[in-house]
Amino acid sequence: MSVTAHHDVSRRALLKGGLTVLAAGPVLAACGVNTSGSGGKGSVSFLSTQFAPVEERQKYEATLKKFAGDISVAYNPVDTGVFNTTLKSQLAAGKVEVGIAGGLHGDLAPFASQLEDLSSLMNDLSSAGYSKDVAELAKLGTDVPRYIPWIQATYVLAINKKALQWLPSGADVNKLTYDQYLAWAKAAKDASGRPVFGLPAGPKGLHHRFYQGFLLPSFTGGQITTFRNPDAVNAWTYMRELWANTNPASTNYDFMQEPLGNGEVLVAWDHVARLINAVKDKPDDWQMVPAPSGPKGRGYLLIVGGMAVPKGSPEKDKAFELIKALSKPEAQIETLKSNSFFPVVKTDIGGDLPGGVALEAKAVKAQQEASDALLALPPVGLGDKDPQVSQLFKNCFQEICLNNSDVKATLDRQGAELAKIMDSLNVPCWAPDPKMSPCKVA
C-alpha cells in the first residue's frame, strides 16, 4: 500500500468541509447502550480508536443511541495497538467480526487494500459536502474511497484573559509568532512571579503532537525528513527556552483543561477535546486562538477520522446504513457538541453551540484559514511502531528541556533511532514532508 494523495491536499482547505460556516457485547438497541461483549447476532461491531476515555465514550454512546435507529451496535473503543492486532488477526484468519473500523487516517492507512470500496456509499453521500481534499484523503492512496470521513479535530491555544495584560506590544493574539509567544511567556512569568504557560507533558499528555505537528513544521517545514537538520536544532533550542518559562508542573499534566480550570496555568496548548472543560462554564473569561507561526509557516496538525468496512465484514448492509446515519449533519453536530470533534460534512451549525465550543470553532477556523497555514498530519502507516516514533519526540523533550543535553547531539542520537524505524517500515512520507517513498530521515 502506498499513500500518494496527501500532498495534493491544500494546506488550508481540509477543514473547510465542516467549518465553512462556523464563524456565524455492547448492544445498542432502542433501549440503551453498553460496551461489554460482541453485541450478538445481527448487531454491528464498531471497533474504534476514538472516544476511549469513559466520559467521551459515554457521550458518544448517547450519540449512537440517538441516531442509529433500530440498528443494534456494539461500540468498542480500544487503543491503537489493540485495534491493529484485532483487525490483522481477523483479516488473516478470514473470520472478520468487525462491522465498522473507526479510526484516524493513520490508523486506517495500513489496511487500505483490505478495506471495502466505499464508492457506492460515497455516492449516496454526495450531498454531504465533503471537501475535495478530505475526500481525496479517504482513498488512502488508492483509486477509490476506503473510508467515509467521520470526525476531525486539531489543537489550539486556550488563554485566560488575565494573561492578555502581558502580551508583547504590537502582538496580535490571533496571529502570534513563536518569538512573540516566548516573549509573552517571559513577561507573564516576570510579572506574576511564576510561570503561567503550560504544556500537556504528563505521562498521557499529547505534547509529542506539539513537536510533530506544530513546532517542527513551523521551524523546519517537515516532521521526519527534517528531524535532525539545522532548522530542527533551532526549533529545539527555542523549545528549551520556552520550557524554561513554562510551569514545571506541566510534566504532570495530561489534560490542560485541569490546570487551566484551577488557575495553575493561564495559557496552554492542547487538543480541543482536552481544553473544553476549562472554558465551557465561563466562556467570557477565555479566548481561544491559533497556534503560533514560525520561519516556515503556521504549522498545525489536522486530525481526520474515518469509518471503514473491512472486507468480509458481517452485517455489511447495516454497517453502511449506520455510516450514513452518523454522516447526517445532525449527528455530526451532536458529536461536536458532546465530544468537541468537528463536522466533516458541510453544515450550518447554527447559533446554539455551547460557549466553549463556539470559542474553539472560531480558533480552529482561523488556524486552518491563516495565510501562512502549514498542514501536518499525524504519522501515517507506522502501525505498531507509532508509539516508538512518538516516544522519540518525547525523548528529545526529556533530554533537551529537562536534562539540558546538547541539542544537536540529542537530535543526532534520536534521529539515528528514527532512521532505523523508518528504514524498516518502507512507507511514504506524509504532510508536511515532501513526497518521498520510502520516507527517510535526512
Side-chain angles (χ1 to χ4, degrees):
M1 189 279 295
S2 66
V3 180
T4 59
H6 66 269
H7 287 287
D8 297 326
V9 179
S10 67
R11 291 175 178 173
R12 296 182 296 278
L14 270 167
L15 284 167
K16 289 184 180 176
L19 295 178
T20 300
V21 293
L22 277 181
V27 178
L28 166 60
C31 56
V33 186
N34 62 65
T35 53
S36 57
S38 64
K41 185 175 177 61
S43 68
V44 176
S45 174
F46 192 150
L47 185 72
S48 171
T49 61
Q50 300 303 294
F51 311 131
V54 174
E55 185 178 358
E56 291 181 21
R57 181 178 66 195
Q58 290 172 344
K59 288 177 178 178
Y60 196 67
E61 287 170 353
T63 300
L64 285 170
K65 180 179 179 180
K66 188 172 182 178
F67 292 98
D70 59 0
I71 301 174
S72 178
V73 184
Y75 186 66
N76 296 297
V78 297
D79 65 37
T80 304
V82 174
F83 182 85
N84 280 331
T85 55
T86 300
L87 281 183
K88 281 182 180 178
S89 61
Q90 290 187 12
L91 287 162
K95 296 181 179 179
V96 177
E97 297 178 2
V98 173
I100 295 175
L104 300 183
H105 179 86
D107 299 332
L108 298 171
F111 299 98
S113 64
Q114 296 170 291
L115 301 175
E116 291 279 1
D117 174 356
L118 300 184
S119 296
S120 64
L121 190 49
M122 188 66 89
N123 288 338
D124 290 345
L125 294 168
S126 59
S127 63
Y130 301 114
S131 75
K132 177 181 177 182
D133 304 305
V134 167
E136 189 65 31
L137 275 180
K139 295 179 181 179
L140 291 173
T142 71
D143 296 329
V144 298
R146 298 294 179 176
Y147 67 73
I148 298 298
W150 175 29
I151 53 176
Q152 59 181 331
T154 187
Y155 301 70
V156 295
L157 297 177
I159 300 165
N160 187 312
K161 289 182 179 178
K162 294 176 183 176
L164 293 175
Q165 61 185 307
W166 304 307
L167 192 67
S169 177
D172 181 344
V173 73
N174 289 292
K175 297 179 181 179
L176 291 168
T177 66
Y178 275 100
D179 286 343
Q180 290 170 336
Y181 191 66
L182 175 58
W184 188 14
K186 288 180 176 178
K189 178 183 177 182
D190 291 343
S192 62
R194 65 183 182 91
V196 295
F197 278 48
L199 191 71
K204 297 180 180 179
L206 298 175
H207 62 120
H208 57 291
R209 297 305 194 203
F210 178 69
Y211 320 129
Q212 291 173 333
F214 292 81
L215 181 75
L216 291 178
S218 297
F219 277 79
T220 75
Q223 183 183 125
I224 300 299
T225 62
T226 59
F227 184 88
R228 55 185 174 188
N229 74 4
D231 289 335
V233 173
N234 291 337
W236 282 104
T237 301
Y238 169 91
M239 187 64 215
R240 178 151 64 193
E241 191 171 2
L242 179 63
W243 177 252
N245 292 278
T246 297
N247 190 323
S250 290
T251 53
N252 299 318
Y253 299 153
D254 292 333
F255 289 60
M256 290 311 301
Q257 60 197 11
E258 295 163 4
L260 285 167
N262 63 29
E264 290 179 40
V265 165
L266 299 180
V267 180
W269 168 98
D270 207 347
H271 190 289
V272 288
R274 295 181 172 207
L275 292 171
I276 191 62
N277 284 345
V279 303
K280 67 178 184 180
D281 293 332
K282 295 182 179 180
D284 291 344
D285 293 347
W286 299 89
Q287 193 163 348
M288 304 190 86
V289 303
S293 65
K296 302 294 186 180
R298 194 174 303 274
Y300 78 99
L301 195 71
L302 177 66
I303 310 298
V304 180
M307 296 175 285
V309 178
K311 290 181 178 178
S313 172
E315 307 297 341
K316 178 179 170 181
D317 291 344
K318 290 181 181 178
F320 276 35
E321 288 304 310
L322 181 60
I323 290 174
K324 284 184 189 179
L326 297 176
S327 301
K328 291 179 179 178
E330 299 84 356
Q332 295 266 305
I333 292 169
E334 187 71 22
T335 303
L336 171 60
K337 290 180 178 179
S338 63
N339 288 78
S340 298
F341 274 78
F342 291 82
V344 286
V345 302
K346 191 171 184 177
T347 178
D348 185 352
I349 291 173
D352 64 340
L353 286 180
V357 176
L359 288 177
E360 290 190 335
K362 183 178 179 181
V364 168
K365 186 172 188 290
Q367 183 164 274
Q368 63 94 15
E369 290 187 346
S371 60
D372 57 351
L374 178 59
L375 167 74
L377 293 176
V380 175
L382 301 190
D384 58 9
K385 299 290 186 182
D386 193 301
Q388 294 179 39
V389 170
S390 292
Q391 186 60 47
L392 294 178
F393 287 88
K394 295 177 183 178
N395 290 349
C396 290
F397 167 75
Q398 174 76 32
E399 293 190 27
I400 294 168
C401 297
L402 302 186
N403 299 342
N404 203 32
S405 299
D406 181 78
V407 176
K408 187 177 186 304
T410 298
L411 295 183
D412 286 344
R413 186 164 55 252
Q414 298 298 326
E417 292 301 312
L418 179 60
K420 290 179 185 177
I421 294 174
M422 297 306 298
D423 289 346
S424 72
L425 291 172
N426 196 35
V427 296
C429 291
W430 53 90
D433 282 296
K435 279 187 176 180
M436 183 185 296
S437 184
C439 195
K440 290 184 174 292
V441 181

